[in-house]
Amino acid sequence: MQYARQEIVDRLRGQIDRKQAIVCAGAGTGISAKFIERGGADLIIVYSSGRFRMAGHSSMCGLLALGDANAIVMEMGEREILPVVQRTPVIAGVNGTDPTRVMRRFLSGVADAGFSGVNNFPTVGLFDGRFRKELEASDLGFSREVEMISIAHALGLFTIVYVFTPQEAAAMAAAGADAVIAHMGLTVGGSIGMSSEEAMTLDASCELVQAIGESALAERPETIVLCHGGPIATPDDAAYVMGRSNAVGFVGASSMERLPVEEAVSSTTEHFKSIPIGL
C-alpha cells in the first residue's frame, strides 16, 4: 500500500509522542519483507545491497560496480517486496549520483511503482580518502544525493537519508529530509560483518549520533533522528544509543534480516542433525 508523505510523518510523530521507538528495516527478499511487517516495523526499505546480502555476500557489494543499483531496487520492489507488503510504507534506496538517469523522471517512476518514499543508497558517504575526493571532483559526490532528496521532497515523497557527519546532516535537513539516519558504518557481527575490534565503540557512536542529530535539528527542528550500523547491531545496542542521544529510532538491514537468518538457519540445521536414528 502506498502512503502520502504527510501520512507517514504523522504516523511516526504519533509513535514518538507515545514514547515508542521507530523501527525501519531493510528487506532483501519478499519473505523478509513479509515477516518484518508482521513484526511491526514502521518502514521497509529496499536497498540494492539487500540482494547481495541475502545471497550470502557483504552489504558492501551494493557500493561496487556489480549491477545497476536503481534497476535492482525497482525490480526487487515491483516483483518481490511491494506485492507482499500490505500495510507498511515501502521506501526505495535510490542511487542519487547516477548520471545516466534524469532524476526527476526516475523518481516519478519510483512513486508510480508504489514506493512511498526514498533513501539515498548507495551513498558516497561510505567512501573516504582519495576515492571520495575524486568522486566529489567528478560531480559524483554527496551533493548529488542532497539534490536527489530535494527533488523527491518537492514531488511529495517521504525522505529518509543516511548521513555520516554533522555537515551532511545539515545539508540533508535543509533539502527537506523528513528523517536523518546517523550511519555508524558496516554492522558488526555474523559471517560477513565488521569485527567489533574494527568498529567504533557504542559510546563513540552515542556522541556522533548526538552531534549529527543536533546539526539536523538546528537546520530543521521537525527532522526525525534515527541511528544505524557499526556497533549498533542488537536491540540492546539500539536501546543503549537511543538512551544516550537524540535518536528516537533505529534502522536495521543486516541486523534485521541477515543476522537473524544466519542464527536461525544454523541452529535449526544443528537441531535436525542431532536427531539420533532409532531402530
Side-chain angles (χ1 to χ4, degrees):
M1 180 176 177
Q2 193 170 36
Y3 291 85
R5 172 186 167 273
Q6 194 58 51
E7 187 174 1
I8 299 173
V9 171
D10 290 344
R11 285 173 61 160
L12 299 181
R13 282 286 166 202
Q15 288 213 164
I16 295 170
D17 291 342
R18 293 190 297 273
K19 306 297 183 183
Q20 294 177 331
I22 293 167
V23 175
C24 312
T29 65
I31 195 167
S32 294
K34 181 181 289 188
F35 288 94
I36 285 167
E37 180 173 60
R38 185 173 295 186
D42 300 294
L43 301 173
I44 293 172
I45 309 178
V46 183
Y47 306 105
S48 60
S49 60
R51 169 157 291 175
F52 298 103
R53 179 170 55 247
M54 298 311 288
H57 309 299
S58 169
S59 299
M60 299 303 287
C61 290
L63 298 170
L64 301 177
L66 301 177
D68 181 338
N70 285 329
I72 289 170
V73 164
M74 292 297 283
E75 181 189 1
M76 290 172 65
E78 291 185 290
R79 295 180 61 85
E80 295 185 55
I81 312 299
L82 289 164
V84 301
V85 175
Q86 303 298 315
R87 60 186 182 278
T88 308
V90 180
I91 308 301
V94 173
N95 181 1
T97 60
D98 185 348
T100 69
R101 286 180 168 80
V102 177
M103 194 52 62
R104 182 175 295 274
R105 185 182 304 160
F106 178 71
L107 292 174
S108 294
V110 167
D112 290 342
F115 289 100
S116 299
V118 299
N119 165 263
N120 60 320
F121 190 90
T123 172
V124 301
L126 281 165
F127 293 116
D128 56 15
R130 177 177 175 179
F131 187 44
R132 175 66 178 273
K133 289 179 181 178
E134 294 189 1
L135 286 172
E136 297 288 348
S138 303
D139 192 29
L140 294 171
F142 195 80
S143 63
R144 291 286 290 269
E145 298 178 29
V146 175
E147 180 183 2
M148 181 272 288
I149 292 301
S150 179
I151 295 170
H153 179 75
L155 291 173
L157 288 161
F158 179 80
T159 51
I160 175 170
V161 301
Y162 282 131
V163 295
F164 302 82
T165 67
Q167 294 76 22
E168 291 172 354
M172 282 295 198
D178 297 299
V180 298
I181 311 163
H183 198 306
M184 300 295 109
L186 183 66
T187 302
V188 304
S191 62
I192 47 178
M194 182 176 286
S195 71
S196 57
E197 290 76 18
E198 295 174 303
M200 69 175 70
T201 66
L202 272 176
D203 286 327
S205 292
C206 293
E207 294 179 5
L208 182 53
V209 171
Q210 179 69 21
I212 285 172
E214 287 176 355
S215 182
L217 292 167
E219 185 66 41
R220 192 166 182 262
E222 63 267 39
T223 306
I224 296 168
V225 180
L226 309 170
C227 59
H228 167 83
I232 316 171
T234 69
D236 287 344
D237 297 334
Y240 185 90
V241 173
M242 283 188 274
R244 293 163 177 79
S245 71
N246 45 29
V248 295
F250 172 73
V251 178
S254 292
S255 56
M256 298 293 283
E257 60 172 357
R258 175 177 65 81
L259 293 176
V261 166
E262 288 185 10
E263 295 164 6
V265 172
S266 295
S267 176
T268 300
T269 304
E270 288 171 1
H271 286 162
F272 275 107
K273 283 295 293 179
S274 69
I275 299 173
I277 297 175
L279 298 178

